[in-house]
């Protein structure tokens, strides 16, 4: 005789970057086990992959992970955590290093416990600049959000280096237009795209950098 099957509720959220509505279910014990194993490994790439795999599984594969912005994935996972474990996060925050200036009794071991309701966390995309960036009168670049895997790769050693910033920007070029002509980035080599970026003046390049900074 087969064991009973527990029904799982479904929820809906709006993807911050696109406004698309997506249905999802809470993650189950089997998915939580995958996440815990990734956390125990201490490897950031393993944890990122586990997070992406769980999102894909809990949406029945309807969400294209590669098309989500990093903040989409972080928001999505928070919502999953809220529906799966509970809406309230308890965060143990260490005492700020300059706290002794106003509280002489403070010690290095002082910890503040903060309660954060996941439902109160919102993603504000109103200040993100347009991904369609005009370089000159006729020439422009259409950017896309960086993939989470790329962010993890280029920040693996901590702060992102200047060379890595250029590599990330190249990976985020969707296409370049010149009048009516469209040049898809996927049809060109990284060297060609790198040469295009290096041909820009500082003011033109800053327009592209502003897109990343606003994101």
């Amino acid at each position: 005789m087969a064991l009973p099957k527990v029904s799982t509720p479904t929820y809906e959220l709006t993807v911050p970057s696109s406004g698309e509505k997506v249905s999802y279910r809470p993650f189950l014990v089997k998915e939580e086990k995958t996440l815990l194993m990734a956390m125990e490994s201490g490897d950031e790439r393993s944890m990122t992959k586990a997070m992406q795999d769980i999102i894909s599984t809990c949406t029945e594969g309807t969400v294209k992970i590669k098309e989500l912005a990093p903040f989409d994935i972080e928001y999505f996972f928070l919502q999953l955590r809220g529906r799966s474990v509970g809406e309230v996060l308890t965060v143990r925050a260490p005492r700020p290093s300059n706290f002794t200036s106003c509280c002489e009794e403070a010690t290095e071991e002082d910890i503040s416990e903060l309660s954060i309701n996941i439902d109160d966390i919102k993603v504000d995309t109103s200040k993100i600049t347009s991904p369609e960036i005009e370089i000159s009168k006729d020439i422009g670049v259409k950017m896309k959000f960086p993939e989470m895997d790329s962010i993890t790769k280029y920040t693996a050693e901590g702060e992102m280096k200047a060379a890595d910033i250029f590599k990330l920007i190249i990976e985020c070029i969707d296409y370049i237009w010149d009048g009516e002509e469209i040049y898809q980035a996927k049809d060109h080599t990284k060297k060609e795209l790198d040469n295009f970026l290096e041909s820009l003046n500082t003011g033109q390049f800053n327009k592209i950098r502003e897109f990343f900074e606003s994101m």
Side-chain angles (χ1 to χ4, degrees), residues 9-28:
T10 58
Y11 302 92
E12 187 179 76
L13 64 74
T14 301
V15 178
S17 67
S18 65
E20 178 187 2
K21 293 189 180 298
V22 178
S23 296
Y24 67 97
R25 64 162 174 81
F27 57 73
L28 307 177

Side-chain angles (χ1 to χ4, degrees), residues 3-203:
L3 294 174
K5 192 172 183 179
V6 180
S7 60
T8 306
T10 58
Y11 302 92
E12 187 179 76
L13 64 74
T14 301
V15 178
S17 67
S18 65
E20 178 187 2
K21 293 189 180 298
V22 178
S23 296
Y24 67 97
R25 64 162 174 81
F27 57 73
L28 307 177
V29 171
K30 60 182 179 180
E31 285 110 25
E32 186 172 9
K33 180 181 177 182
T34 300
L35 183 63
L36 290 172
M37 291 174 65
M39 290 176 64
E40 286 177 355
S41 73
D43 181 63
E44 189 172 346
R45 292 192 182 188
S46 296
M47 289 187 279
T48 299
K49 186 178 186 306
M51 186 166 61
Q52 292 173 315
D53 289 345
I54 289 174
I55 291 174
S56 182
T57 300
C58 292
T59 57
E60 304 298 333
T62 58
V63 171
K64 296 180 180 178
I65 297 293
K66 296 292 186 182
E67 295 181 1
L68 294 180
F71 55 83
D72 287 331
I73 292 177
E74 292 170 350
Y75 176 74
F76 210 135
F77 192 75
L78 276 174
Q79 295 300 307
L80 270 174
R81 195 276 183 192
R83 300 296 175 260
S84 306
V85 181
E87 288 80 11
V88 178
L89 291 169
T90 300
V91 180
R92 291 173 57 81
R95 172 185 63 80
S97 57
N98 63 350
F99 190 65
T100 51
S101 61
C102 62
C103 183
E104 295 180 358
E105 296 80 14
T107 67
E108 292 292 339
E109 291 74 29
D110 284 346
I111 298 290
S112 295
E113 285 202 354
L114 309 174
S115 293
I116 303 172
N117 192 314
I118 289 174
D119 290 337
D120 292 336
I121 298 174
K122 309 297 180 186
V123 179
D124 181 12
T125 60
S126 64
K127 295 181 180 180
I128 297 179
T129 60
S130 172
E132 296 184 354
I133 302 165
E134 289 188 358
I135 300 300
S136 65
K137 181 180 178 181
D138 299 314
I139 299 174
V141 181
K142 168 65 166 54
M143 304 299 294
K144 57 187 178 182
F145 293 117
E147 295 178 9
M148 182 67 94
D149 290 344
S150 296
I151 295 290
T152 303
K153 177 174 64 177
Y154 292 126
T155 58
E157 298 179 359
E159 187 174 349
M160 192 179 296
K161 299 177 182 178
D164 293 332
I165 294 174
F166 276 86
K167 291 177 183 177
L168 181 61
I169 289 175
I170 287 173
E171 289 185 11
C172 293
I173 295 176
D174 191 6
Y175 60 80
I176 298 168
W177 76 82
D178 182 3
E180 298 297 322
E181 195 74 31
I182 300 294
Y183 302 90
Q184 297 289 341
K186 64 182 180 180
D187 298 329
H188 296 270
T189 65
K190 289 186 177 181
K191 180 62 178 175
E192 289 174 320
L193 296 172
D194 189 47
N195 288 339
F196 172 79
L197 279 183
E198 291 183 350
S199 72
L200 304 180
N201 62 42
T202 302

